Amino acid sequence: MFAFGKYQRRNLRILYDAIGTLADAVGAELNQAKYLAILMPPLIQKWQQLRDSDRDLFPLLECFTSIAQALGPGFAQYAEPVFVRCINLIQTQEMAKADPGRAGVSYDKEFIVCSLDLLSGLAEGLGSSIESLVGRSNLRELLLQCCNDEAPDVRQSALALLGDLAKACVVHLQPRLSDFLTVAVKQLGSDIKDHVSVANNACWAIGEIAVKVGKEISPIIINVITCLVPILSATEGFNKSLLENSAITLGRLAWVSPEQVAPHLEHFMQPWCRALRQIRDDIEKEDAFQGLCAPTGALGSFATMCEAIGSWHEIRSTDLQNEIYQVLHGYKQMLGNSWEAYFQPLDAALQEKLITKYRL
């Protein structure tokens, strides 16, 4: 903080970056009054000094994004002015795109991208506490506009925010939910080859919405499956993150609407299980496996499914553990005398793991 009094414009960028990196590294530990008293006043002073058209805002917006994510609920005391300014920055730039004279600034999409990213940081940090800010703003309409923007990096940040808002306060998206889902499916389908990060965020956002709204997502499920199956089935050409998000989103759709997904299982069960096997243990993987357990009737992929189940180090959800237990014992009962013919070809270590964990 001593450096704030000494550094000039160019070095300030390095300072913002250092503070942001510190926040990323220490996370919630930063949320202590004694640290905030040192850290925040000079940052807020810079925030107030810079005009909305000043490109020096970019590194400061990025710095605030890291701080908001690190502080979590602790950022609430700073949230409203930051939220309002982000909305204003997006509105000003949307106006500048249409009529630079009226806006008084020339269009620069970076202001939109950085503002969307900071709003994502706020949604992630504040969780459901962001609800009142979103409810009093026109963010929903602005976000829909940004999801349809011609610039891929604007769409990428907008779809990330869509997913974060779905997690934090989906109720405020619901009046335009079908529009958001339509645009997300469109981006998933059209951006897979040329703009992977856009497609990846669209895929993740659809999954987050599905978990929150359940059956309301039914009208788009078949379209989403149509987009995801080629990704899972491709032997190369797609990045790891897109493969993982595709597997997770497919699982979430199967969880909320098993009857829609079940008839198509034979087309993707094996590549889906292979992708699930690669995902690290976390809540998203748990959601995906809830979906794997929901529909039935993929006997031809029994071995691949067992390998996916065996990829877990530790399942924290007792509900999911019970679901997997029921599925495996369901297969054992259904196969009867043929059980050994299906179970014995599995790797010996995997057999032992499944016998021990699920009492097969």
Side-chain angles (χ1 to χ4, degrees):
M1 291 306 103
F2 173 75
F4 260 110
K6 303 287 183 190
Y7 280 14
Q8 298 305 306
R9 184 180 170 195
R10 190 170 63 86
N11 283 335
L12 275 174
R13 288 175 169 264
I14 299 165
L15 188 54
Y16 295 143
D17 187 50
I19 294 167
T21 305
L22 176 70
D24 293 339
V26 301
E29 288 293 312
L30 198 60
N31 190 20
Q32 295 184 38
K34 60 182 179 181
Y35 298 146
L36 298 183
I38 303 167
L39 183 71
M40 295 306 289
L43 285 171
I44 290 166
Q45 190 183 356
K46 291 290 178 195
W47 173 264
Q48 289 167 345
Q49 281 172 1
L50 293 170
R51 297 189 322 279
D52 282 358
S53 56
D54 194 329
R55 289 179 66 88
D56 287 345
L57 259 181
F58 301 155
L60 185 55
L61 287 165
E62 287 168 6
C63 178
F64 266 106
T65 303
S66 294
I67 291 169
Q69 288 166 324
L71 296 185
F75 196 78
Q77 58 187 308
Y78 314 106
E80 187 162 5
V82 172
F83 182 92
V84 169
R85 189 167 193 184
C86 287
I87 297 289
N88 290 340
L89 283 166
I90 296 169
Q91 282 182 156
T92 302
Q93 289 302 320
E94 291 292 354
M95 193 192 297
K97 198 200 299 191
D99 186 352
R102 184 165 154 242
V105 295
S106 53
Y107 174 66
D108 187 340
K109 67 179 180 182
E110 276 306 305
F111 283 102
I112 298 181
V113 170
C114 289
S115 297
L116 290 168
D117 291 345
L118 179 43
L119 289 170
S120 275
L122 285 176
E124 194 179 320
L126 298 176
S128 59
S129 306
I130 200 173
E131 204 167 315
S132 60
L133 293 172
V134 176
R136 295 198 303 269
S137 73
N138 62 337
L139 176 56
R140 186 173 60 227
E141 304 308 319
L142 284 174
L143 181 57
L144 196 52
Q145 211 172 331
C146 292
C147 285
N148 279 302
D149 199 277
E150 65 272 14
D153 39 357
V154 172
R155 295 200 303 276
Q156 181 182 332
S157 291
L159 288 159
L161 177 55
L162 177 61
D164 282 319
L165 287 176
K167 285 169 81 171
C169 56
V170 76
V171 66
H172 290 299
L173 300 175
Q174 276 174 312
R176 300 295 299 273
L177 188 64
S178 64
D179 296 324
F180 278 116
L181 288 169
T182 301
V183 74
V185 174
K186 179 182 152 198
Q187 304 300 346
L188 177 57
S190 61
D191 279 323
I192 283 174
K193 287 294 183 202
D194 298 325
H195 306 293
V196 170
S197 297
V198 179
N200 196 15
N201 286 357
C203 179
W204 173 74
I206 291 166
E208 291 295 343
I209 292 170
V211 171
K212 291 291 185 182
V213 304
K215 296 285 185 199
E216 280 184 66
I217 204 159
S218 295
I220 64 147
I221 285 182
I222 300 304
N223 288 345
V224 177
I225 291 174
T226 306
C227 294
L228 297 183
V229 171
I231 299 171
L232 293 171
S233 304
T235 48
E236 55 184 36
F238 293 112
N239 77 354
K240 186 170 180 280
S241 180
L242 181 57
L243 270 171
E244 289 184 0
N245 272 327
S246 298
I248 289 164
T249 294
L250 196 51
R252 286 171 158 176
L253 296 177
W255 185 19
V256 300
S257 191
E259 68 284 356
Q260 270 188 285
V261 176
H264 309 280
L265 270 183
E266 63 191 87
H267 299 300
F268 59 76
M269 185 70 172
Q270 291 203 11
W272 182 28
C273 286
R274 281 195 294 271
L276 288 173
R277 213 166 61 199
Q278 307 303 322
I279 300 171
R280 68 179 185 278
D281 293 6
D282 64 8
I283 186 72
E284 293 186 340
K285 184 170 179 172
E286 285 187 6
D287 285 356
F289 270 77
Q290 293 279 10
L292 185 68
C293 293
T296 52
L299 192 55
S301 306
F302 176 76
T304 329
M305 184 191 71
C306 288
E307 285 164 5
I309 292 168
S311 72
W312 280 97
H313 299 291
E314 181 194 2
I315 300 176
R316 297 198 172 175
S317 161
T318 50
D319 284 351
L320 178 57
Q321 271 185 323
N322 292 336
E323 288 280 342
I324 292 173
Y325 178 93
Q326 297 296 341
V327 166
L328 288 171
H329 280 267
Y331 273 110
K332 188 173 184 180
Q333 194 176 354
M334 180 178 74
L335 288 165
N337 295 333
S338 307
W339 168 253
E340 290 299 324
Y342 280 85
F343 194 67
Q344 283 303 321
L346 298 178
D347 175 78
L350 175 60
Q351 285 187 47
E352 191 180 339
K353 189 173 187 177
L354 296 177
I355 288 168
T356 308
K357 223 167 196 169
Y358 301 104
R359 302 199 294 279
L360 287 170

